Amino acid sequence: MERRAIVASLAGLVAAATAIRFVPLGVQSFHHDEVITVMRVIPGSFGQMLHEVKASESNPPLYYVLAWGWARAFGRAEWGIRSLSTLVGTLTVPVGYAIGRQLSGRRVGLVLAALLAFDPMLTWYSQETAPMRSWSSPCATAGRRSCRPSQTGVSFLVGETGHVIAEPPRTHYAILPAVGVGGAALVLLLLGTRREKRGGSIGLGVGLGAVRARFAGVLVTVVICAYWLAFDVYVTQTPNLQRPDWRGVVSALGPARAPRAIVSWRLAGDPLRWYLDDGALRWYGGAERVREVDLVGKRSVAVHRANLPPEFHPAGVVRMDRLTIARYISSRPVLLRMPELDALKTGYGADTIVLDGPPAARLTLGANARTAPSHEVAVERAEAG
């Protein structure tokens, strides 16, 4: 292929990868791991950030160092802080081209770059604020420089193909890519040279076949990328395939007019506290007087009062795309204990309780209950164990 065509094709793939990743970047709300980063690790000083990483993180500090500086330039909102991971994920495309070219030529480089540009898994994880999501491009670059070409290409393509097939956000979307990759490998095994047969046998059908199998490999690549692109767009329009909308939950709950307890999934505690006004607390023991109880569970969960005292009356149910919000209100503050709220099942395996209230009530909020930010509880339990 001519150099000008190669440059134009690679530029088009990078532009497509950039648009796919950056345009919907702020659509979905933060999930658990992301809120840990934006609420606990990077808000304070540089020294506090390093202390938090040492005290409670198992990941190396490099990502947090970069995220700490990035947040000061672009903010801690969804688009701002996620853009670091998204930028690194987008850079995987030209790095993939370099690996493919070094492995077996320019055509293979473009095939690999196309797969990386449209891969739904890489798109999904390049839109998350978490350290493990941001290492695809640096690891690929390090592998290209430190390994022989054949070792780098084989390990990278096999790992990527296996990751896409084995661990998608929703299992049904991987059927067509799996069939496409398997079909390309079969073509190589039946019609290819000895090198192609060896490549097809270890899962490199698309990557290695694009040069020798020519039209078959290119056609399979185009079909897979077209399907992946359609799925990438479909995800942005389908809330059931997105992260739970905790931002929408807080909007539906509205400002607290009286002390309230919000019962939800254990991993929802930190996202709810992030989107609520300052002052919301994680409740993990004791008792507290509240006038409102909100149950935030799966959409399919059966709404019932369970063991709530008779003073609480149903005040409405809001059904969202993946979640259900059931509200119970009392005319006066009622002293509630953990077992009474634990009986409100959300449909998840483990639940948590968040205490919230209007500004005037926050001076005494949690005075009788044992409360703490979730990370303090985790550190306390780890030290006790």
Side-chain angles (χ1 to χ4, degrees):
M1 297 181 68
E2 295 183 2
R3 178 180 178 84
R4 185 175 299 177
I6 291 290
V7 172
S9 299
L10 183 58
L13 290 174
V14 173
T18 302
I20 291 170
R21 288 159 173 78
F22 275 96
V23 170
L25 194 54
V27 171
Q28 301 183 46
S29 62
F30 284 134
H31 199 31
H32 174 68
D33 289 344
E34 298 181 288
V35 172
I36 289 178
T37 300
V38 299
M39 187 168 66
R40 181 185 78 199
V41 179
I42 63 175
S45 66
F46 188 81
Q48 289 173 327
M49 177 271 296
L50 293 178
H51 172 74
E52 290 289 351
V53 172
K54 180 180 178 181
S56 61
E57 291 295 324
S58 59
N59 298 295
L62 177 58
Y63 169 79
Y64 298 106
V65 170
L66 297 175
W68 183 86
W70 194 269
R72 273 138 189 82
F74 299 99
R76 289 189 292 156
E78 291 89 348
W79 202 99
I81 191 62
R82 282 174 175 166
S83 59
L84 171 60
S85 299
T86 306
L87 176 62
V88 175
T90 304
L91 292 177
T92 306
V93 177
V95 172
Y97 168 77
I99 291 175
R101 183 185 63 181
Q102 187 171 342
L103 170 67
S104 192
R106 294 176 177 177
R107 187 187 298 269
V108 170
L110 284 179
V111 167
L112 180 53
L115 294 175
L116 294 175
F118 299 108
D119 179 356
M121 281 300 297
L122 289 181
T123 300
W124 178 273
Y125 284 123
S126 66
Q127 294 174 334
E128 278 201 356
T129 302
M132 68 287 291
R133 321 306 192 210
S134 306
W135 290 111
S136 56
S137 182
C139 287
T141 304
R144 176 176 178 268
R145 292 182 177 275
S146 62
C147 300
R148 292 183 301 170
S150 59
Q151 293 174 331
T152 302
V154 168
S155 61
F156 192 90
L157 286 174
V158 169
E160 172 61 18
T161 302
H163 187 57
V164 168
I165 295 175
E167 194 186 358
R170 293 291 183 273
T171 55
H172 62 266
Y173 99 91
I175 294 176
L176 288 182
V179 172
V181 173
L186 181 61
V187 169
L188 292 179
L189 290 173
L190 295 178
L191 304 177
T193 64
R194 179 179 300 177
R195 180 185 179 187
E196 292 168 351
K197 292 179 179 179
R198 184 170 62 250
S201 66
I202 60 175
L204 300 181
V206 175
L208 295 179
V211 174
R212 298 290 185 256
R214 295 182 181 277
F215 297 111
V218 172
L219 178 61
V220 170
T221 302
V222 170
V223 170
I224 290 176
C225 289
Y227 175 76
W228 280 350
L229 174 59
F231 186 80
D232 287 329
V233 175
Y234 181 66
V235 168
T236 65
Q237 306 298 317
T238 310
N240 285 335
L241 296 179
Q242 299 174 6
R243 300 165 181 87
D245 187 10
W246 305 117
R247 180 175 53 197
V249 167
V250 170
S251 177
L253 289 174
R257 298 180 177 86
R260 64 185 177 185
I262 305 171
V263 184
S264 187
W265 182 29
R266 179 176 59 84
L267 296 185
D270 287 328
L272 287 175
R273 290 175 54 233
W274 170 259
Y275 288 111
L276 288 166
D277 292 337
D278 294 338
L281 303 170
R282 178 72 71 92
W283 182 9
Y284 66 100
E288 183 64 30
R289 293 187 180 276
V290 299
R291 290 181 54 187
E292 179 180 334
V293 175
D294 299 310
L295 170 66
V296 183
K298 289 184 176 180
R299 182 176 174 83
S300 58
V301 70
V303 178
H304 57 85
R305 288 180 48 200
N307 292 336
L308 282 179
E311 290 86 349
F312 286 95
H313 302 283
V317 175
V318 178
R319 297 196 181 274
M320 304 175 65
D321 293 289
R322 295 182 59 183
L323 300 166
T324 295
I325 305 172
R327 312 184 75 169
Y328 305 92
I329 296 179
S330 170
S331 60
R332 61 181 180 82
V334 179
L335 185 65
L336 290 180
R337 293 175 174 81
M338 291 288 292
E340 296 172 305
L341 294 175
D342 284 340
L344 289 171
K345 300 303 181 183
T346 65
Y348 294 101
D351 298 336
T352 191
I353 302 171
V354 173
L355 282 176
D356 185 31
R362 286 178 182 160
L363 294 178
T364 58
L365 190 65
N368 300 315
R370 295 197 302 273
T371 60
S374 59
H375 69 282
E376 294 180 5
V377 177
V379 172
E380 178 182 305
R381 292 176 178 173
E383 292 175 349

